[in-house]
Amino acid sequence: MFETYLLPVRTAVTLFPLLALVVMLPVAVMSYRRRGRAGGWTTTVFYCFLFYLLAAFLQTIIPLPANPAEYCAEQTYASTPQLRPFYFWDVLETRARVSGTWLNPAMWSTALNVVLLAPLGFFVRYLSGVRFLGAAALGFVASLFFELTQLTGVWFIYPCAYRLFSVDDLILNTVGAVLGWLVAGPLIKILPELDSERDRSRYAARVTASRRVLALLTDGVAFGVLTVVVLGLLQLFGVPPAVRNPATAALAVLYFLLVPVQTGSTVGKRAMLMRIERTDGKRPGPFALLARNGVLLSPFWLTWVALSVDHWNVFSQPLQLLIPVGLVFSLLVVGVWTPLAVFFGDEPAPYERLSRTQNVAIVRTEPATTT
């Protein structure tokens, strides 16, 4: 019996790293904008909450039928919802006469229905300070979502309901959420306080290496999405393929040069509440930004140039050697020198030295400078 309940947990353990990877950037952006940092106890609690939500959802749909058509033809017990409140009492009494109390599967099923949403009540109170009625309402809505997922065969993916919709589950799940909210009261007093304002005052002015990396990743995702959309539109309107490379280059100039010249930030830096300034505090001009981003992004644009070469012949065209040589050099500068300077030496990156620029944290209206 317990194997049925452990399978969803093991599945959640397998899927959670992928889910965490998907939400990492949005969560980091929200965290930096709210607390001035992406790590810490608050982030740990959030990812615990995320894992719990995944495990709770999988608990309501796993195990899945191996052969849906065959299963739906043979099993009909879940086709009619159980709408009688507190019917579980009758089931408990009936089965207790046969197997006793502790060996009664219905008793364990009832208890687990209560436990299922108890962590939800705890987390919403600890993370958001939700009040009693709010926790009860969230518990009911979450339970209703689970039950409708079962009733509709995972929202019509399966041709029939393979898990029973029961009004008793709504009652027990909601009670569990309320109990979790009540238990959170004394626990919150001994757990670390989740104080966003304290974190912001302590960390918002720091431009850490992780903050810079997350900004770069955000820029990579944003520029990638922009490029895919624009190239897709060009394809849709029948623009010749020869235009794709110039269009990509134009987008790169727009995104990494023209926009920062006007605003002082790329999308990624703005998301992480940073901007670029010259070391004398002034806004950098186009040449400084060209030097900075040209070196920082050199592994990417040199790889793009290398892939754009139709025919390699270094004997007849020796200038082609500059591309792989430049790529190796750029990898050393960006992949080795920069991490050593930023992560371990607390020094400006080589492209910052060359362009005489630095990252500046945006703290409300007053920026705080770090290098």
Side-chain angles (χ1 to χ4, degrees):
M1 178 183 69
F2 289 104
E3 179 64 23
T4 303
Y5 298 107
L6 291 176
L7 178 60
V9 177
R10 289 201 296 266
T11 306
V13 171
T14 303
L15 295 178
F16 180 71
L18 178 61
L19 177 61
L21 184 64
V22 170
V23 304
M24 179 185 67
L25 276 181
V27 169
V29 169
M30 293 177 61
S31 184
Y32 268 112
R33 300 188 73 85
R34 184 179 180 184
R35 302 188 297 115
R37 66 185 305 206
W41 177 247
T42 301
T43 301
T44 301
V45 174
F46 170 80
Y47 279 105
C48 289
F49 182 39
L50 187 65
F51 175 79
Y52 156 72
L53 291 177
L54 176 63
F57 175 70
L58 293 177
Q59 196 71 241
T60 65
I61 65 172
I62 290 179
L64 300 169
N67 189 326
E70 180 180 332
Y71 179 90
C72 291
E74 296 177 354
Q75 302 290 337
T76 59
Y77 90 100
S79 59
T80 303
Q82 196 292 103
L83 302 178
R84 177 184 165 189
F86 303 105
Y87 177 67
F88 68 91
W89 281 116
D90 295 340
V91 176
L92 286 173
E93 291 177 356
T94 301
R95 295 189 179 180
R97 299 190 191 102
V98 178
S99 56
T101 301
W102 296 107
L103 297 178
N104 184 355
M107 188 275 291
W108 288 106
S109 177
T110 300
L112 288 171
N113 267 320
V114 175
V115 172
L116 179 64
L117 291 189
L120 177 66
F122 167 80
F123 278 116
V124 296
R125 184 172 185 179
Y126 186 37
L127 283 170
S128 303
V130 173
R131 295 183 180 275
F132 177 84
L133 292 179
L138 286 173
F140 177 80
V141 170
S143 179
L144 182 62
F145 171 75
F146 292 158
E147 294 301 308
L148 290 177
T149 300
Q150 295 172 343
L151 179 64
T152 58
V154 193
W155 301 101
F156 308 105
I157 294 177
Y158 290 88
C160 68
Y162 64 92
R163 301 280 288 268
L164 180 65
F165 178 103
S166 174
V167 70
D168 283 342
D169 289 350
L170 292 173
I171 296 172
L172 294 171
N173 292 163
T174 304
V175 169
V178 169
L179 291 176
W181 185 90
L182 293 173
V183 170
L187 288 180
I188 288 175
K189 296 179 180 179
I190 61 176
L191 289 171
E193 183 181 2
L194 305 181
D195 190 341
S196 299
E197 187 61 36
R198 181 188 60 192
D199 284 348
R200 189 184 303 113
S201 63
R202 183 180 299 177
Y203 298 104
R206 302 181 185 179
V207 179
T208 59
S210 59
R211 191 171 185 173
R212 296 168 66 164
V213 170
L214 288 169
L216 183 61
L217 289 175
T218 304
D219 276 327
V221 172
F223 180 71
V225 171
L226 176 64
T227 303
V228 168
V229 170
V230 171
L231 294 183
L233 290 174
L234 294 179
Q235 178 74 19
L236 180 64
F237 289 103
V239 177
V243 179
R244 294 175 185 172
N245 282 349
T248 303
L251 286 175
V253 171
L254 172 67
Y255 188 98
F256 292 105
L257 183 60
L258 299 182
V259 171
V261 165
Q262 294 299 318
T263 65
S265 298
T266 59
V267 172
K269 290 187 182 297
R270 180 64 62 174
M272 295 295 169
L273 293 180
M274 294 191 300
R275 68 168 177 259
I276 304 169
E277 284 187 357
R278 286 174 18 185
T279 52
D280 60 6
K282 297 180 180 179
R283 178 176 292 183
F287 293 107
L289 287 172
L290 181 62
R292 177 189 176 92
N293 289 333
V295 174
L296 173 61
L297 303 174
S298 57
F300 301 100
W301 63 262
L302 282 170
T303 300
W304 176 65
V305 170
L307 294 175
S308 300
V309 176
D310 294 326
H311 179 68
W312 284 89
N313 190 338
V314 295
F315 296 103
S316 61
Q317 302 182 55
L319 289 179
Q320 287 183 341
L321 281 173
L322 294 177
I323 299 175
V325 171
L327 181 57
V328 171
F329 182 73
S330 71
L331 289 173
L332 290 174
V333 171
V334 178
V336 179
W337 186 359
T338 296
L340 289 175
V342 174
F343 285 89
F344 303 104
D346 195 23
E347 296 288 337
Y351 55 84
E352 292 177 316
R353 293 179 181 273
L354 176 65
S355 61
R356 296 182 181 179
T357 59
Q358 60 188 354
N359 287 295
V360 175
I362 301 174
V363 185
R364 293 192 175 94
T365 58
E366 294 294 331
T369 303
T370 61
T371 56

